[in-house]
């Protein structure tokens, strides 16, 4: 009989390791029954688990002892469920084999925990970590990396450590993933660092993939201009180019209220302070519309202006350097003695501080007594950085004090920079212009007039002549510095407009699209446009304005070299005692060398004219077809970049237009004899042009800045007259032109002129004129547009064949003509008329015979055969000459020859038979 129900513990605690099915229970699973050892009733047959879909089952290991086991029906995953709780009961076997009348135990609670296995590795939440730091700082934490682990237990799911894998980097990481720098970083040393980081869980399993950490180093925010280039390239002819097209101001969030920028173009090293036209002073004054009559006291040394030959000179810009040991005497007659009450002195001067505490006077220009006395009549000198003009008037009826010394105190006199000075004298008023600005003298002192004397005066430059009060006359008061373009113009003063033109720079700063600057920007240029000041309240407007600042050089052939560029800035802040400081910009403009032009003069280089034309009132035009062309050679790269094409660069010759500043027509050989010959030009040809001309026995010079076309027009009207032709048979001339005062010069074009002397008839003039004409002179136009005169010569083989054929035909026809003439003589008077008719028939043929009518006077006793041979020789000369000319010239020459042959007058008719 099954009297008792089984007994088990009231609760169990079990542990199962994931991925395992065995559960370890505490206490062990054992059921007891008081009916033991009765069979069936005292035995345990089953354990049943109560719960929804529990992944466990309980089995009976021994029915008699009641021992059982708890196991998993499927693999247990801790990550899915960490613990389980369910009810278990034990059942006995009942009262018999069929299991009837079985009894069950009370319910027991089973709590099972799943034990974790470290099966997962740490993984980072981000694929890449990025951070930025400012150089020069130590950070506690730049950024934090974070990794996770999918294991379920704290032991294996927690990240216990992080580690930097990359070696030799100035960074460290703590167990929480915070990365810090171990030393101050430098932007100049390295802009960016890339480091690899790994993580470990508490089971010391590391991440399968390391993570990349990028740390960008930012420079310390420094207020200043950014995105500008130190070197700006300028090619001639580029017009106006922006200097800083992308510039902007970084204020580092400073409270800026307004900003002022000053852009300065420093051109002191170029020429006389900047890139100016390097024409001669006379040409510049003509170009600027100055009054005529200026006398250049410091010209380039030449045969006629030799007083500057001993001075130190920079030939490129005609600059004279005075070292305190040199002076130049101006010859008598160059400058008139009486300058009148109105005259002008102009000069370029570069002068530094005078040595010594009490420096001596440094004379620029001085007119003093040549001998006996030491009176200074007028002078311009520098004394203690003051410019002084001395003017002592001569004694007249009014013996009174008069203004004599005019003093100007200017910083520019001793700043070692080039400045342009103009002294306008309208006695008793003297005005100084420096760089176009007007300055009145700060001090005027009076003196007595100079009493008249017969002592000659000496005009000097660079020192003053001391002719008296010394044992031997000598120079004194030497000048230290550089001078250029020193001129004096008696009788007239210059206008402000002309002065501004003479000292104008051809390069400077410019603003592109001035109208788009905006109303918030104020700007100001200095007179030479080398300094530009802009001011505004809005930073972005200032940025836009500075991007429009450009450099311009209007010269066709600018001076190559570097122009320094400086931009300084002043900033005001809102109510701040200390405001940000903006560093200056130091840049430079590199001006490239222009392609050098080749100036070519072409035209007829040899001609002859009868003496009567040279003796006429108008003379003979020397250069009727002169042509002046300038070309420039450029190399072009081929589109195909193969080595063969690169080696053979195409050379392209292009014609270019530019001005000239003088053309000289020089006489080769003995100078012109003014008693019988001269060169002439109607001055009306110069009107409307910036040209002037000078004439001498050495030649004719046309000068002034004007186009090549204007020079051609003038030179084509230049005439040569010779009213004493008996003493001259030929003259040779040479033409040479210049641009930029000799910087670019043309070829030397030589012209030979023959004077044909005649005493009888025009026929000789025709014959000789044909003989001396240059052969095959033609103008050939090149594809590039340049025109040049090319002398072509006949191929010798062709000329020989033509001459032989012509001579053969000529001999045959003349023989036939002589035979017919002798036959005609046998028929008497009627035969005489027949001979004339035959002669006319013969004259209608294509053959033309040129006869020198002087032959019968020079050699009247020659035989008939000798006359015939000479006629043949003359015919050969004319035939050769005719073969060498163009078809049009041949027709003209045939007409001229016919004029010689056709009998005119009874005397010629009477002697025609004898001539033949």
């Amino acid at each position: 009989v099954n009297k008792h129900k089984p007994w088990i513990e009231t609760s169990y605690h079990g542990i199962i390791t994931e991925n395992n099915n065995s559960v370890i229970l505490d206490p062990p699973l054992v059921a007891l029954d008081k009916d033991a050892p009765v069979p069936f009733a005292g035995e345990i047959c089953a354990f049943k688990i109560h719960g929804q879909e529990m992944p466990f089952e309980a089995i009976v290991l021994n029915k008699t002892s009641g021992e059982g086991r708890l196991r998993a029906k499927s693999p247990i995953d801790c990550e899915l469920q960490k613990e389980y709780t369910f009810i278990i009961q034990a059942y006995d076997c009942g009262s018999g084999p069929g299991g009837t009348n079985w009894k069950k135990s009370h319910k027991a609670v089973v709590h099972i925990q799943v034990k974790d296995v470290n099966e997962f590795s740490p993984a980072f939440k981000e694929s890449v970590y990025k951070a930025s730091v400012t150089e020069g700082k130590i950070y506690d934490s730049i950024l934090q990396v974070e990794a996770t682990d999918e294991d379920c237990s704290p032991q294996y799911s927690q990240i216990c450590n992080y580690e930097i894998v990359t070696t030799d980097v100035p960074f460290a990481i703590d167990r929480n993933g915070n990365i810090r720098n171990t030393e101050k970083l430098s932007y100049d040393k390295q802009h960016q660092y890339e480091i690899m980081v790994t993580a470990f869980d508490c089971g010391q399993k590391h991440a399968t993939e390391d993570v990349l950490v990028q740390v960008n180093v930012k420079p310390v925010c420094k207020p200043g201009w950014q995105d500008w280039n130190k070197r700006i390239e300028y090619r001639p002819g580029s017009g106006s180019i922006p200097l800083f097209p992308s510039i902007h101001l970084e204020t580092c969030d400073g409270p800026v209220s307004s900003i002022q920028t000053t852009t300065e173009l420093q051109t002191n090293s170029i020429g006389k302070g900047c890139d100016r036209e390097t024409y001669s002073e006379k040409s510049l004054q003509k170009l600027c519309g100055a009054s005529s009559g200026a006398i250049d006291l410091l010209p380039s040394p030449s045969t006629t202006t030799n007083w500057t030959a001993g001075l130190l000179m920079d030939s490129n810009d005609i600059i004279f350097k005075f070292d305190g040991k040199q002076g130049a005497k101006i010859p008598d007659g160059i400058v008139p003695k009486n300058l009148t009450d109105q005259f002008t002195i102009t000069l370029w001067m570069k002068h530094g501080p005078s040595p010594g505490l009490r420096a001596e006077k440094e004379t620029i220009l001085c007119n003093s007594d040549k001998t006996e006395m030491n009176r200074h009549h007028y002078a311009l000198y520098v004394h203690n950085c003051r410019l002084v003009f001395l003017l002592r008037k001569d004694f007249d009826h009014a013996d009174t004090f008069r203004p004599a010394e005019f003093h100007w105190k200017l910083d520019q006199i001793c700043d070692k920079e080039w400045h342009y000075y103009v002294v306008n004298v309208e006695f008793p008023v003297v005005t100084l212009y420096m760089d176009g600005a007007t300055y009145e003298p700060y001090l005027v002192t009076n003196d007595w007039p100079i009493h008249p004397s017969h002592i000659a005066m000496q005009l000097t430059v660079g020192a003053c002549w001391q002719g008296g009060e010394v044992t031997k006359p000598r120079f004194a008061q030497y000048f230290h510095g550089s001078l250029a373009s020193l001129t004096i113009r008696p009788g007239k003063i210059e206008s402000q407009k002309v002065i501004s033109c003479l000292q104008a720079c051809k390069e400077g700063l410019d603003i592109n699209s001035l109208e788009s600057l905006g109303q918030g920007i104020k700007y100001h240029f200095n007179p030479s446009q080398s300094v530009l000041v802009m001011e505004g309240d809005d930073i972005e407007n200032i940025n836009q304005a500075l991007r429009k600042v450009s450099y311009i050089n209007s010269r066709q052939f600018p001076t190559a070299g570097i122009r320094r560029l400086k931009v300084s800035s002043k900033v005001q802040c809102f109510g701040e005692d200390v405001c940000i400081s903006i560093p200056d910009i130091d840049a430079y403009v590199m001006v490239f060398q222009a392609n050098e032009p080749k100036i070519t003069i072409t035209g007829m280089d040899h001609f002859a004219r009868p003496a009567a034309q040279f003796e006429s009132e108008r003379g003979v035009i020397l250069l009727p077809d002169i042509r002046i062309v300038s070309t420039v050679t450029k190399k072009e790269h081929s589109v195909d970049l193969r080595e063969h094409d690169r080696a053979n660069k195409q050379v392209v010759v292009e014609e270019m237009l530019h001005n000239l500043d003088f053309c000289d027509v020089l006489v080769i050989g003995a100078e012109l004899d003014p008693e019988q010959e001269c060169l002439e030009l109607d001055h009306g040809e110069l009107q409307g042009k910036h040209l002037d001309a000078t004439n001498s026995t050495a030649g004719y010079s046309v000068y002034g800045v004007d186009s090549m076309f204007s020079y051609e027009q003038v030179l084509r009207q230049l005439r040569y007259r010779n009213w004493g032709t008996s003493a001259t048979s030929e003259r040779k001339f040479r033409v040479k032109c210049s641009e930029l005062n000799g910087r670019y010069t043309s070829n030397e074009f030589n012209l030979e002129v023959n004077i044909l002397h005649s005493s009888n008839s025009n026929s000789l003039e025709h014959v000789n004129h044909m003989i001396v004409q240059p052969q095959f002179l033609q103008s050939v136009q090149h594809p590039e547009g340049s025109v040049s005169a090319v002398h072509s010569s006949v191929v010798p083989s062709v000329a020989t064949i033509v001459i032989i054929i012509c001579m053969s035909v000529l001999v045959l026809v003349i023989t036939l003509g002589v035979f017919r003439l002798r036959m005609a003589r046998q028929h008497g008077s009627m035969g005489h008329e027949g001979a004339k008719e035959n002669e006319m028939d013969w004259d209608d043929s294509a053959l033309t015979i040129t006869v020198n009518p002087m032959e019968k006077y020079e050699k009247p006793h020659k035989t008939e055969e000798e006359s015939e041979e000479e006629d043949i020789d003359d015919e050969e000369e004319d035939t050769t000459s005719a073969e060498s000319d163009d078809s049009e010239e041949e027709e003209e020459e045939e007409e001229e020859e016919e004029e010689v042959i056709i009998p005119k007058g009874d005397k010629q008719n009477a002697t025609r038979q004898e001539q033949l």
Side-chain angles (χ1 to χ4, degrees), residues 35-50:
D35 292 326
V38 178
F40 300 106
E43 295 176 347
I44 303 300
C45 278
F47 293 96
K48 290 188 177 179
I49 294 173
H50 301 282

Side-chain angles (χ1 to χ4, degrees), residues 878-892:
D878 295 338
T879 304
T880 305
S881 177
E883 288 292 332
S884 301
D885 292 330
D886 296 332
S887 59
E888 294 179 3
E889 295 178 0
E890 288 176 0
E891 292 175 4
E892 294 174 359

Side-chain angles (χ1 to χ4, degrees), residues 66-102:
E67 185 179 356
R69 179 188 295 175
L70 188 64
R71 66 184 182 185
K73 294 188 291 185
S74 60
I76 301 301
D77 190 351
C78 179
E79 284 72 39
L80 295 177
Q81 192 167 341
K82 296 181 180 180
E83 58 185 25
Y84 296 88
T85 301
F86 54 86
I87 302 298
I88 190 171
Q89 285 180 310
Y91 288 79
D92 59 17
C93 295
S95 57
T100 57
N101 297 322
W102 50 265

